Amino acid sequence: AALTGVVEYRNVTFAYPGAESPVLSNISFTARPGQTIAIIGSTGAGKTSLLSLLPRLYDPVEGQVLLDGVPVDKLDRAEITKRVALVPQRPYLFSGTIEHNLRFGKTEATDQELWDALRVAQGESFVREKKNGLGARISQGGTNVSGGQRQRLCIARALVTKPRVYLFDDSFSALDVATDARLRTALKGITRDATVIIVAQRISTITEADQILVLDNGRIVDRGTHEELLETSPTYQEIVES
Ligand code: DUT
Ligand code: MG
């Protein structure tokens, strides 16, 4: 069977409801299974807004977002949720156990699947260290775990759903460089056949991406691999040097 998980943005323009000017203009790109597409750009460039259109947190005002060739507004939300996992920039945990939080998207996951996801997300050891393990309580908003632990639990939650498409919104920024590197190596194995779109601040997180989109003021100003952009993109060079 053909691999699913093809994401296409076709001439997408987006403004927040009630706002006059668009925050995204004429965005076009395709991300295929097995590929990692990175999005980089300064704060306010529109990276989070861009990701939000695939799971339909918002809809574009012009153009189309397609999943496996079908415009997402023609798909059931449940179908989108099954195929696409978004790890949000501000990872959210709710009051309940670690297990509840990990099963949030997929209630029928086995404990083994939860531990497997935690292992990849580099969250296994801190959960094992807790007296109640998966049964350890998380307070509302996850205030009793660190920012990095919160990010790792939210990454594990996404892995548990075994989606075709992963959207990581700056998901590695609260991790130290070594943990970030270990996590991404482990992820590579898991996401080999999946489509990965990753927003990053740290250049080291994205140098191996198949394609990097440089977003500036809601537009894709340059695109290419790390090596190509170093040669051709002044905006990218600025980001690398900053
Ligand atoms: N914006 C809104 N309403 C919202 C969210 C964002 O008007 O609910 C604006 C703020 C900004 C633009 O949209 O001018 C793009 O914001 P976004 O959050 O997409 O930018 P980012 O690239 O993700 O910035 P950061 O690197 O700070 O996460
Ligand atoms: Mg953002």
Side-chain angles (χ1 to χ4, degrees):
L3 288 178
T4 55
V6 180
V7 173
E8 187 185 354
Y9 280 54
R10 212 180 267 170
N11 304 316
V12 168
T13 293
F14 170 65
Y16 281 95
E20 276 172 28
S21 44
V23 295
L24 295 171
S25 302
N26 204 30
I27 300 291
S28 293
F29 70 92
T30 303
R32 298 178 197 288
Q35 286 187 328
T36 297
I37 305 295
I39 300 168
I40 198 155
S42 55
T43 178
K47 305 179 294 296
T48 296
S49 307
L50 188 155
L51 292 187
S52 74
L53 303 178
L54 181 59
R56 293 195 66 206
L57 304 180
Y58 296 97
D59 286 325
V61 293
E62 271 174 58
Q64 277 185 319
V65 177
L66 302 106
L67 181 57
D68 297 319
V70 181
V72 286
D73 60 351
K74 300 282 187 291
L75 289 170
D76 271 3
R77 282 187 190 271
E79 190 53 42
I80 300 174
T81 311
K82 216 162 82 186
R83 284 192 244 170
V84 178
L86 166 67
V87 181
Q89 188 166 17
R90 279 175 208 81
Y92 185 74
L93 297 174
F94 51 85
S95 149
T97 62
I98 288 179
E99 177 174 352
H100 289 145
N101 272 279
L102 292 180
R103 286 184 194 282
F104 178 64
K106 196 167 187 237
T107 45
E108 74 272 26
T110 63
D111 279 11
Q112 188 56 51
E113 288 175 313
L114 302 187
W115 283 113
D116 289 347
L118 282 169
R119 188 169 313 117
V120 172
Q122 309 299 306
E124 188 187 14
S125 57
F126 87 79
V127 176
R128 285 224 188 274
E129 279 161 20
K130 296 211 174 272
K131 198 170 83 204
N132 296 321
L134 289 173
R137 295 207 67 85
I138 301 287
S139 54
Q140 185 68 31
T143 46
N144 62 337
V145 293
S146 76
Q149 290 171 339
R150 206 150 52 221
Q151 274 190 326
R152 283 178 272 176
L153 289 174
C154 287
I155 292 166
R157 175 196 284 159
L159 290 166
V160 167
T161 68
K162 299 194 167 78
R164 299 296 318 153
V165 182
Y166 290 89
L167 306 176
F168 293 110
D169 193 350
D170 202 14
S171 304
F172 313 109
S173 58
L175 308 176
D176 59 81
V177 173
T179 307
D180 178 16
R182 271 204 310 278
L183 197 156
R184 282 181 300 100
T185 302
L187 264 181
K188 236 184 262 169
I190 297 291
T191 62
R192 205 185 312 270
D193 298 330
T195 306
V196 180
I197 303 179
I198 163 174
V199 166
Q201 302 284 344
R202 228 184 249 149
I203 292 287
S204 66
T205 310
I206 59 159
T207 49
E208 290 172 32
D210 297 290
Q211 179 161 238
I212 300 167
L213 309 177
V214 183
L215 205 60
D216 188 22
N217 211 356
R219 293 174 187 277
I220 298 176
V221 292
D222 290 304
R223 66 179 83 202
T225 62
H226 174 70
E227 285 72 22
E228 288 164 356
L229 289 170
L230 282 179
E231 295 284 322
T232 59
S233 172
T235 315
Y236 190 73
Q237 288 158 11
E238 251 174 59
I239 296 168
V240 171
E241 283 157 18
S242 67

